[in-house]
Amino acid sequence: MTGDPNSVASRFQSLGLPFLVPGTRPTQEPPQPSGLGYLRELGPVGGCDRSSPAPWESRMVTSTGTLPSLLLGTLLTFTSGALGANPGLVVRITDQGLEYVAQEELLALQSKLHRVTLPNFDGDVRIKHFGSVDYRFHSLNIQSCKLLGSALKLLPNQGLHFSISDSFIQVTGDWKVRKRILRLDGSFDVKVKGITISVNLLLDSEPSGRPKVAVSSCSSHIRDVEVHISGDLGWLLNLFHNQIESRFRRVLESKICEIIEDSVTSELQPYLQTLPVTTEIDHLAGLDYSLMGAPQATAQMLDVMFKGEIFSRDDRFPVAFLAPVMNLPEEHSRMVYFAISDYAFNTASLVYHKAGFLNFTITDDVIPPDSSIRLNTKSFRAFVPRIARLYPNTNLELQGAVISAPCLNFSPGNLSTAAQMEIEAFVLLPNSVKEPVFRLSVATNVSAMLTFNTSKITGFLEPGKIQVELKESKVGRFNVELLEALLNYYLLNNFYPKVNDKLAEGFPLPLLRKIQLYDPILQIHKDFLFLGTNVRYLRV
């Protein structure tokens, strides 16, 4: 291992991330349960045995890039799942992240207040020498709004506390006064100073399993209201401005909390109820991002735990192993952190392995015309004489498969995987009959480059030299060096280019729109990746 293990250029190797490796199913199984066919029937399809050492291990390399991020709103887009198991994914928001969310929420609320329609209000008041006067204030508009201070704090075991202080609103409108047959009107201007808002948000889940957010308490206070009235007999209304200012204060204080509660009840919560519990990766696999329980708030951070399981879209089968416990480090230098367990990668490995995605077939038509070796018994005569005698002038076919789902393991500073690939050779007899003749064990090292950008994860594989061993033969023992050369050619010119094309398409990240990520960091810990990033919201 070289380089700085704490940098984003960290280490990977081998056939890790098997869910990103495409292949094809063999066109036909061997007609008898022997060799590779027998192993396919009996080989395991589930479970990463953490206690079993790998036949060989290799390392992979990751490159610097941008990491996926979710803000507060994204945390509420996931649904509840079964309790008791360990999560495959944990999203942690730090104080720094909450501070940024509070700033963005302040700007959003300030923008929304400009569009709010304030209610008309009327009343009557007795004035000395005039008696009772009826008044009405209407066409109220918020002309300016400055919300200057905000904070988003954690409420341990409950949720979040959002507060706004030292804010200002200016309202304009029209007034009317009626005294018997006397009717007068004019305009007015109100300056509302020292606005303070305090809201507690409860994060929970409903019996349906979907997320729930509610305003558990809301209060607002206005320090001072100044009303300036103009128009005919405006001086008359100024005689009782204290009553008017008091009425304005009560109306605005109640309206502020009404706006907030209505936004949560009629906009955010109904939206959360429409969100799916899974997302599609491709035609084979989906991602289960259901919540494992209510978000856990402490005094320093908010942890949200997701199932993080890759499942088969065709036939969802139970996973025979559990996600490991992740002991997250106390990091606070970034707004958001993601702890991604090896469980996510290994459930993906199960899905793609069971679907035959790691299988491939080599026939003579993929061998270059100028190659010194062909996939037929005549070409094999020099190093496998018996095969030419038993099957003269007969074409061959090689079928490759990973015997069991590769298991990706995380340890401090590096990733490792164990994979056992086997290739079986068949002679193609008349009437489409395939006769198995020998079986090979293949080991190879593969370095991989992963890039985390603002919308997806992309990758690139760089293969190493393969090692081939003859495991079983019905045509006698023979030297496998020429086959190594053929297999190397196929992997370099057919298999890996196809894989890299797939990797270049990328793995989409569940991001909010208009989110830009920066200053990423990557750490590799026992059983999980720890990704951190800062977040910037891009306004149009």
Side-chain angles (χ1 to χ4, degrees):
M1 185 174 69
T2 60
D4 181 4
N6 294 321
S7 68
V8 180
S10 305
R11 288 126 180 113
F12 279 88
Q13 247 189 37
S14 188
L15 296 177
L17 300 182
F19 62 98
L20 297 176
V21 182
T24 57
R25 296 174 183 267
T27 56
Q28 181 178 338
E29 289 292 333
Q32 54 186 339
S34 64
L36 183 57
Y38 182 69
L39 289 173
R40 283 179 183 146
E41 292 179 11
L42 298 182
V45 296
C48 286
D49 186 356
R50 298 178 185 276
S51 63
S52 301
W56 66 86
E57 291 189 349
S58 54
R59 306 179 190 275
M60 304 181 74
V61 180
T62 63
S63 72
T64 184
T66 310
L67 307 174
S69 175
L70 304 173
L71 285 177
L72 176 64
T74 309
L75 295 177
L76 299 174
T77 66
F78 300 97
T79 60
S80 297
L83 295 174
N86 297 320
L89 167 67
V90 176
V91 178
R92 169 171 290 179
I93 297 185
T94 63
D95 285 338
Q96 187 181 161
L98 291 174
E99 181 180 343
Y100 183 76
V101 172
Q103 294 171 2
E104 292 299 320
E105 194 65 29
L106 187 72
L107 295 173
L109 181 59
Q110 182 170 288
S111 176
K112 186 168 184 175
L113 283 173
H114 281 287
R115 302 189 299 271
V116 167
T117 299
L118 296 174
N120 299 334
F121 69 92
D122 49 32
D124 61 80
V125 64
R126 296 189 64 81
I127 304 177
K128 190 176 181 180
H129 306 305
F130 282 87
S132 179
V133 175
D134 298 322
Y135 65 87
R136 178 178 176 82
F137 290 83
H138 63 97
S139 302
L140 279 68
N141 293 304
I142 296 178
Q143 290 295 105
S144 65
C145 176
K146 294 181 180 180
L147 305 180
L148 301 179
S150 67
L152 187 60
K153 300 296 183 182
L154 291 159
L155 294 175
N157 303 317
Q158 295 184 50
L160 299 169
H161 172 74
F162 180 61
S163 62
I164 295 174
S165 59
D166 194 25
S167 299
F168 167 87
I169 295 177
Q170 182 176 6
V171 178
T172 61
D174 298 321
W175 61 266
K176 293 180 181 179
V177 167
R178 185 179 63 184
K179 173 64 175 177
R180 296 182 182 177
I181 63 173
L182 178 65
R183 299 176 184 274
L184 301 171
D185 56 40
S187 61
F188 69 90
D189 177 277
V190 179
K191 294 180 180 178
V192 185
K193 302 176 181 178
I195 301 173
T196 300
I197 305 171
S198 178
V199 182
N200 286 350
L201 293 173
L202 180 65
L203 305 181
D204 204 344
S205 62
E206 293 188 338
S208 64
R210 300 198 177 277
K212 182 179 181 180
V213 57
V215 176
S216 59
S217 66
C218 178
S219 63
S220 63
H221 176 71
I222 296 173
R223 185 183 70 246
D224 187 33
V225 175
E226 294 181 3
V227 179
H228 301 278
I229 300 173
S230 60
D232 294 337
L233 293 184
W235 59 270
L236 181 62
L237 293 179
N238 281 320
L239 293 177
F240 56 95
H241 68 87
N242 286 336
Q243 295 95 318
I244 295 175
E245 289 171 354
S246 177
R247 181 73 186 277
F248 259 111
R249 179 183 289 107
R250 292 195 302 272
V251 169
L252 290 176
E253 285 177 344
S254 64
K255 189 65 177 178
I256 288 171
C257 280
E258 181 183 328
I259 291 170
I260 294 173
E261 292 173 356
D262 180 69
S263 178
V264 172
T265 303
S266 64
E267 296 179 20
L268 178 57
Q269 184 59 31
Y271 169 72
L272 296 177
Q273 295 305 297
T274 66
L275 295 171
V277 299
T278 62
T279 187
E280 175 184 330
I281 294 176
D282 57 24
H283 69 287
L284 292 176
L287 170 62
D288 184 338
Y289 48 76
S290 56
L291 228 67
M292 300 294 287
Q296 300 296 308
T298 67
Q300 293 82 30
M301 63 197 69
L302 180 69
D303 284 350
V304 185
M305 292 150 290
F306 307 111
K307 190 170 184 66
E309 178 182 316
I310 308 295
F311 62 89
S312 171
R313 297 182 61 203
D314 224 19
D315 178 25
R316 186 164 185 175
F317 52 86
V319 178
F321 56 91
L322 299 176
V325 175
M326 293 186 285
N327 297 312
L328 306 190
E330 295 293 328
E331 294 280 349
H332 300 277
S333 63
R334 298 296 187 273
M335 295 180 184
V336 182
Y337 288 91
F338 297 84
I340 306 173
S341 167
D342 58 12
Y343 179 81
F345 298 97
N346 291 331
T347 54
S349 179
L350 291 178
V351 170
Y352 286 92
H353 175 265
K354 188 174 182 181
F357 207 59
L358 306 180
N359 301 345
F360 58 90
T361 300
I362 307 176
T363 55
D364 188 65
D365 58 354
V366 302
I367 306 300
D370 58 350
S371 173
S372 60
I373 184 172
R374 312 301 309 176
L375 273 181
N376 56 54
T377 57
K378 181 180 178 180
S379 179
F380 276 51
R381 178 184 300 164
F383 61 98
V384 194
R386 189 176 175 187
I387 197 172
R389 292 196 303 269
L390 294 175
Y391 310 98
N393 299 316
T394 304
N395 284 334
L396 293 166
E397 179 180 282
L398 303 179
Q399 293 184 5
V402 176
I403 301 306
S404 62
C407 189
L408 189 63
N409 299 304
F410 295 70
S411 60
N414 70 84
L415 307 178
S416 63
T417 187
Q420 181 67 45
M421 181 184 295
E422 294 212 2
I423 295 178
E424 190 161 22
F426 298 87
V427 290
L428 305 181
L429 301 177
N431 301 321
S432 301
V433 175
K434 298 181 180 181
E435 179 73 22
V437 288
F438 60 83
R439 181 165 53 91
L440 306 172
S441 174
V442 179
T444 182
N445 293 335
V446 179
S447 62
M449 185 83 69
L450 293 181
T451 300
F452 303 86
N453 59 39
T454 55
S455 62
K456 59 185 179 181
I457 302 173
T458 61
F460 183 83
L461 299 183
E462 185 68 35
K465 182 176 174 58
I466 64 171
Q467 297 176 345
V468 181
E469 179 185 355
L470 181 64
K471 301 295 291 184
E472 180 184 349
S473 176
K474 296 181 180 180
V475 292
R477 307 297 296 180
F478 59 90
N479 193 314
V480 297
E481 287 185 2
L482 286 176
L483 281 177
E484 282 188 2
L486 184 147
L487 292 173
N488 263 322
Y489 175 86
Y490 175 80
L491 293 175
L492 289 172
N493 293 278
N494 295 80
F495 184 72
Y496 286 108
K498 184 185 297 185
V499 171
N500 287 327
D501 286 344
K502 179 68 174 176
L503 295 178
E505 295 175 8
F507 184 88
L509 305 176
L511 294 175
L512 295 173
R513 291 186 304 167
K514 302 179 183 177
I515 291 294
Q516 184 183 65
L517 312 171
Y518 64 99
D519 289 345
I521 58 172
L522 168 63
Q523 299 174 3
I524 304 176
H525 295 266
K526 178 175 171 54
D527 299 330
F528 67 95
L529 294 178
F530 197 55
L531 315 175
T533 183
N534 288 325
V535 180
R536 182 182 296 115
Y537 181 74
L538 301 178
R539 298 181 184 83
V540 178

